[in-house]
Amino acid sequence: MKRLKKIISVENDSITKTEYKIPKWQIAEVRKRTEDYLKNPNNVSSIDEFLEEIERDLNVFK
């Protein structure tokens, strides 16, 4: 099943519709994070911890 989302944007005083597909990896990551949160909503990371995690993950590709 294709999951298409529509975005309405206003450019030059006109409305345009753009369709895009959410990547499967992104859907899976959001589901994983939601499950983790629902299991323990008190165990959340701060924004600083979150940004450090992203930086570590990106360093893997260097």
Side-chain angles (χ1 to χ4, degrees):
M1 174 183 217
K2 292 183 181 179
R3 293 180 180 220
L4 295 177
K5 303 291 181 184
K6 293 184 179 181
I7 299 177
I8 297 177
S9 63
V10 178
E11 295 178 9
N12 302 324
D13 297 324
S14 66
I15 297 176
T16 58
K17 292 183 180 181
T18 305
E19 293 187 1
Y20 68 97
K21 185 175 180 181
I22 300 172
K24 289 183 180 185
W25 68 264
Q26 191 170 20
I27 293 170
E29 184 65 24
V30 170
R31 287 182 177 155
K32 177 188 166 293
R33 291 181 183 202
T34 302
E35 287 176 18
D36 291 345
Y37 172 77
L38 292 175
K39 287 178 186 175
N40 191 356
N42 294 321
N43 187 18
V44 294
S45 58
S46 70
I47 187 66
D48 292 329
E49 292 170 330
F50 174 70
L51 294 174
E52 288 173 7
E53 179 184 345
I54 290 174
E55 187 175 352
R56 280 192 307 271
D57 290 348
L58 290 175
N59 284 333
V60 170
F61 297 111
K62 286 186 176 183

